[in-house]
Each structure stands twice: as C-alpha cells, then as structure tokens.
Amino acid sequence: MLNTNDILETIRMIRDENLDIRTVTMGISLFDCISDDPERLSQKIYDKVTRSAGRLVSVCEELERTYGIPIVNKRISVTPLSYVGAGLSPDGYVKLANTLERAANQLGVNFIGGFSAHVQKGEILGARNLIEAIPQALTETTRICSSVNVATTKAGINMDAVRRMGEIIKETAYLTRDKDSIGCAKLVVFANIPEDNPFMAGAVHGFGEPDTVINVGVSGPGVVAVAVKEAGDCDFSQLAETVKRIAFKITRVGQLIASEAAKRLGTPYGIVDLSLAPTPAAGDSVAEILENMGLERCGTHGTTAALALLNDAVKKGGVMASNHVGGLSGAFIPVSEDRGMIEAAKIGTLTLDKLEAMTAVCSVGLDMIAIPGDTEASTISGIIADEISIGVVNNKTTAVRVIPVWGKSVGDSAEFGGLLGYAPIMPVKRESCERFINRGGRIPAPIHSLKN
Amino acid sequence: MKAVVTVTGKDKVGIIAMASDECSKHGVNIIDISQTVMKEYFAMIMLVELDGMTVDFASFAEAIKGRGLKLGVDIRVMHEDIFNSMHKI
C-alpha cells in the first residue's frame, strides 16, 4: 500500500496549501476556417471552437472529482487571428472577438487567447488591423485575451510596434476606465512568444502544433513556501534540493492531469508548463517563498538571487516529472495576483526597477503592474522596450502587461477582481523617453556568436 | 480501479464503522486499511476497489463525504494514481 505520510502530504498540499492545477488549456488551430467572407469565417471559427472544446469543461470537472484536485481554469488558445483573419478590417476583428466571446460563454471556459499578432519584423495588413482593433475588442468582451509579439532574438525589436503598443495600451485603459482599465489586464506584449503557453493573457496556438492539443499549467507557490519554511536555515544546496523535490511532486500532478485530459478528450497531449503561478489568496504567493528564504520583504537586496535559485530549482525538479515541458515554465511575478508582492509594492520595497531586474532570471516579465493613468504612451513604450530587450539579448521570453489605471495615481490602488487581484499604483519615472521611442524602425538582432 | 479514501479530523467513536458501512452500502470493497492517532488528531486511510461499485464515482465520494461531515471529519475519495504519480518515480 502507499505510504501513509505520502498520502497525508498530498491531502495537506491540496487542502491547506492551495495546490491546484491552474489551467487546462486546449489549443485549437483555426487555419481550416479561413475564408474571404467575414461572416463565413466567423461561423466556421465558432463551429470549430465549440465542436473541438465541447467536452473540455465537463472532462475537467470529471478529473477534479476523480483525482480530488481543483482545476481552476479551463481555457482555449487559438491560432493568432492576424493570420486567420488577415483580410479583416478593424471592425471585422472586433466582431470576430465578439464571436469568440459567444463561443467562450457557450462552452463555459474562462478565457480564449489568440487575439494576437506577430510583428517582430513588420506588420502584415491583418496584424495592423488587429492591433488597431485591440482596445475596442477588449472593451466589448470579457473573456478574450490579446497578445502581440514585437521582437525575437533572431529578428530584433520592431520599435514601430513598441511605440504603437504604448498607444494601444493607453487607449485600452481609457475605454475600460470605468473598471480600473481592466482591458489592459487582458493584453500582453511579448519578446520570443512561446507557441504552446497555456497561461493567459499570452496563450496562442502556434504554427507547429497539431490541429488540437492539451497543455496544462501547474501551480503551487503555497506548497513550495511551506517546504522552504520547514527546511529552516539550511544552506543553499539544501534549499535548492528542497525546491526541486517539491517541484517534482507538483509537476507530476500536472503530468497526470494533462495525459488523462488528453486521453479522455481524444486530443494529443502537448506540454506541461512548470510555472509557479500565484493567486491573491493567502498562502499562494511567490513573494512568500522568497521571504521564507530569508528576505525581510520581497524586493529588497537578495531578491533577484533568491528568485534565480527558485526558478532554476523549479525547472530542474519539474523537468524530470514531465515527459514534455514547454510554455513559459518558471516562476511568475504578477504583482496584482500575488499577496506578498502587493504588500511589498505598497510599502515601496518592490519597485518597477527591481521587478525589471527580477524578470532577467525568471519566466515572463513585468506582469500585472498598475501604473499612473497619466503615464505618457511613449513612457509605456519605453517600459516595453527595456523589458523586451532583456528577452531579446538573453534569448528568453519576456513580456509586459502594465495597466495605466485611468484617473488614478500613486497612493491609489486598482481592483481587478478574482484571480487578477488588486494592486497599488506604482510610480514610473517622469522624465521623457519620447525622442528615443519616436526614432522608429528596428533595433537590430543581437549578435550571439561572441558570447563574452 | 482503486481509490484511496482518507479520513482526517478529531478522533471519536464510530468513524471506522461509518466509513466501512458507507463502502459496503455502495459495493465498494476495502482492500487495506490503516489508521494513526496523534494526540486527538485522527487519520485513517483505506485503499478500496471500485470495480463492483453500484453508483458512479462522484455519487460515492459525495455520499461518504456527507456522512463524514456529520461526524465532523473530512473524507476524500481520490483515484490512487494521484498519489502514485506524486510519490513514486
């Protein structure tokens, strides 16, 4: 029989330490829906999404009951719509977003990602029109997520797109001003966007993927935080070992759910994403892990090193637990979604500059950060350019999801609700970078042969 | 299919009787059983075989959980594979 302590450990993780599966995301290719008639395109997309994912929610609920572990989100990612709807006008894209919203409501899924474009070297007409449609699409819908890839290590950075995204984020903030500019929480700007990421807002169904696929994102900051606390004042080798062991266990649950969901849905299994994804709930915080390692407050000196250790150990433990790993895979640091980060940002220990440094050693980027509503579009573009440069030069994914909360300034806080949480408005530098941003053109791809 | 039934909570008279009664009522065969009591804290683990179960998995899990709530204990029924996955390489 199984070991009693092992069984009780699993029960404790689920009941007391917020262990859950953060998301089961079905990727769906929409290339076979392409049509030159916008109505027909829309109908074919609605039909394909609702047909492919018709049983997604019920199968996930069945798995929750059978294995006794919550699956928090059931989501869908689709082929970036800038390709599928390349002939659409901006209005056509807004209508298509509404079609997908109807499909999401019909299926009962939390989000559909893929209102997206790749513009690292330049824009096709479809990408230009889609980007123009983003503010309105995110205002009219609640479950549609948008992402724009503005750079890759091989192509360099499309600074025209970076400048444009600063304006788009401002416009989205204005249009959703009655809800603390929540539209911006569903929009992310990427460098090196992954093609199999199950997490929002950046999930898309990439080009090399099968027709449909199941990708799973695990969670478990609370479990890691408790393990680190119980490890006490051990040395760093032991600390890394503790995190690896626990990451292995967490990821194995993800692997089990991924393979079972794929089997029951008759869909290929894609990857498990090893990310530690926090929530605003007590005891579900990445900041708390760092603080349990010995930092008085997340954001103080030592934070980047602590996060680097955590991120690496999570990957090492997780890789052995899963036969295919992908997506973002690392620790997330979304400020508004992590109670410890919220506290640290409130008292000023965690700043935008420190967060930027932290993104160099963990998975995503500047995530769910509320900034003053009067921040200039060019300043937002400057924030994007800095963060994207870190990804491009270091050959990794980075991203920006900032929310310039309309009408609010430093000292206020924004409330996004649910898993998106709440956040204090963090200060940005007031000095302009407009002349720099307005240069236009592309920042060339970095050289990677001279490694020193 | 095998499942693990865990019963945790404060120790009191009749917990095992109740859990095994609920199993037999639904055609669930108990293969192995172990229990520990630490101070007042009670933990019982049963490995059960569900092949002869007369109701579906969710109904059995709900029924036994409900009985547990009346006695003030937390009862969970989970497929054994979640434990095998987590704790065996």
Side-chain angles (χ1 to χ4, degrees), chain A residues 6 9-10 15 66 252, chain B residues 8 57 74 79 85 87-88:
Chain A
D6 288 346
E9 183 189 20
T10 300
R15 192 180 56 195
T66 306
R252 281 291 266 239
Chain B
T8 50
F57 187 94
D74 179 37
H79 193 297
S85 298
H87 302 288
K88 289 184 183 169

Side-chain angles (χ1 to χ4, degrees), chain A residues 11-316:
Chain A
I11 300 287
R12 192 187 71 186
M13 286 179 181
I14 295 171
R15 192 180 56 195
D16 305 330
E17 297 164 10
N18 297 308
L19 177 63
D20 54 42
I21 300 293
R22 183 50 45 84
T23 180
V24 173
T25 302
M26 178 183 264
I28 303 173
S29 168
L30 298 182
F31 277 118
D32 53 343
C33 302
I34 290 175
S35 167
D36 59 359
D37 173 4
E39 290 299 322
R40 191 161 155 69
L41 170 73
S42 173
Q43 189 59 47
K44 284 173 86 174
I45 287 178
Y46 181 86
D47 290 347
K48 174 142 192 202
V49 169
T50 50
R51 187 177 65 244
S52 306
R55 290 172 52 243
L56 176 63
V57 171
S58 63
V59 163
C60 286
E61 287 171 351
E62 194 179 292
L63 293 173
E64 287 182 282
R65 286 193 294 270
T66 306
Y67 294 102
I69 184 154
I71 299 173
V72 181
N73 285 295
K74 295 89 182 172
R75 298 168 169 169
I76 292 170
S77 61
V78 296
T79 310
L81 293 180
S82 63
Y83 297 103
V84 181
L88 291 175
S89 65
D91 279 351
Y93 273 114
V94 174
K95 281 186 192 147
L96 190 53
N98 279 293
T99 300
L100 281 173
E101 175 92 349
R102 270 198 299 125
N105 287 330
Q106 162 75 20
L107 294 166
V109 297
N110 308 90
F111 285 115
I112 297 184
F115 198 85
S116 305
H118 297 169
V119 295
Q120 57 268 22
K121 263 191 175 170
E123 295 171 340
I124 59 169
L125 182 63
R128 186 177 313 152
N129 288 345
L130 178 136
I131 289 172
E132 197 175 323
I134 287 173
Q136 193 59 33
L138 296 184
T139 305
E140 291 184 18
T141 61
T142 59
R143 299 181 188 222
I144 305 306
C145 289
S146 179
S147 54
V148 177
N149 191 64
V150 296
T152 65
T153 297
K154 291 223 160 144
I157 308 172
N158 179 350
M159 288 298 290
D160 291 324
V162 168
R163 184 184 59 200
R164 184 80 182 114
M165 288 316 294
E167 296 161 359
I168 292 291
I169 288 170
K170 280 284 281 189
E171 203 179 324
T172 307
Y174 176 73
L175 289 181
T176 52
R177 61 192 177 283
D178 58 331
K179 291 183 186 133
D180 277 349
S181 302
I182 197 170
C184 300
K186 298 176 286 172
L187 171 59
V188 56
V189 183
F190 269 106
N192 297 321
I193 188 172
E195 302 210 331
D196 51 8
N197 160 29
F199 287 102
M200 296 297 170
V204 294
H205 185 70
F207 300 139
E209 300 285 312
D211 193 50
T212 59
V213 71
I214 289 292
N215 297 321
V216 164
V218 299
S219 175
V223 178
V224 178
V226 171
V228 167
K229 194 173 186 180
E230 286 175 355
D233 288 327
C234 60
D235 75 358
F236 286 110
S237 307
Q238 188 58 41
L239 188 61
E241 190 63 24
T242 303
V243 176
K244 268 162 65 180
R245 281 172 180 275
I246 212 79
F248 174 85
K249 293 179 181 178
I250 295 170
T251 309
R252 281 291 266 239
V253 183
Q255 170 72 33
L256 172 68
I257 296 294
S259 53
E260 272 301 308
K263 196 164 84 187
R264 293 182 192 204
L265 287 162
T267 300
Y269 146 65
I271 56 98
V272 174
D273 188 315
L274 308 179
S275 298
L276 280 183
T279 70
D284 206 14
S285 157
V286 170
E288 192 184 333
I289 302 173
L290 307 179
E291 289 169 4
N292 285 355
M293 286 184 184
L295 303 174
E296 187 178 340
R297 184 69 76 175
C298 177
T300 191
H301 305 290
T303 301
T304 310
L307 184 60
L309 182 152
L310 172 68
N311 200 52
D312 185 62
V314 164
K315 286 181 198 168
K316 285 173 177 162

Side-chain angles (χ1 to χ4, degrees), chain B residues 69-84:
Chain B
L69 283 176
K70 284 182 194 160
L71 277 182
V73 290
D74 179 37
I75 305 188
R76 289 162 192 250
V77 186
M78 295 154 74
H79 193 297
E80 65 165 348
D81 279 354
I82 188 166
F83 303 103
N84 289 330

